Amino acid sequence: MTMKNLLAAAAAAIITVAAPSALAHARLEASTPAANSVVSPAPAQVRLQFNEPLELPFSKVKLVDEKGGVVDASRVAADPADPRALVATTPGLHAGVWRVQWTTVARDGHKVKGEFSFRVQ
């Protein structure tokens, strides 16, 4: 194998190994309350745990009730002990089904969003 072929093979191997991590984006790994859970009393906050650190200034959390009423989190902050977690303070939520809709940007610069529901009894 020539030096040129050897270098090309090495470059291809590096690209193949690095590609999966370069394409990965932040994803929600867990939440409190958990998706599809039933809670009582209403939570004072919603915690979102991601797989990588987030850019707090670009993070938003809102809750939508069964009738489409929107409640924005009164405060969204990073967990000081874990830069991969967002904590959204929620005002008093009434009984019923709530959808948590979130948007954030990971430190890699990619915007991600999602939603899940839980029920307050």
Side-chain angles (χ1 to χ4, degrees):
M1 185 177 259
T2 67
M3 182 60 106
K4 184 176 181 181
N5 289 344
L6 185 59
L7 290 174
I14 290 170
I15 290 169
T16 301
V17 170
S21 63
L23 297 176
H25 299 302
R27 69 179 182 282
L28 183 65
E29 291 187 325
S31 66
T32 305
N36 303 314
S37 64
V38 178
V39 299
S40 181
Q45 64 183 22
V46 172
R47 179 185 172 87
L48 306 174
Q49 183 69 47
F50 292 86
N51 67 320
E52 61 184 71
L54 307 170
E55 294 293 339
L56 183 61
F58 304 105
S59 300
K60 295 180 183 171
V61 177
K62 70 178 178 180
L63 292 96
V64 182
D65 70 14
E66 296 168 300
K67 296 177 183 170
V70 176
V71 175
D72 288 317
S74 59
R75 181 173 182 258
V76 177
D79 181 334
D82 186 352
R84 299 172 304 156
L86 287 179
V87 179
T89 303
T90 56
L93 302 177
H94 58 74
V97 175
W98 289 90
R99 281 184 297 144
V100 177
Q101 298 177 334
W102 56 266
T103 304
T104 192
V105 174
R107 290 198 179 152
D108 67 3
H110 290 100
K111 182 178 180 180
V112 291
K113 63 182 180 175
E115 70 176 55
F116 64 91
S117 297
F118 67 92
R119 175 182 291 278
V120 174
Q121 279 193 327

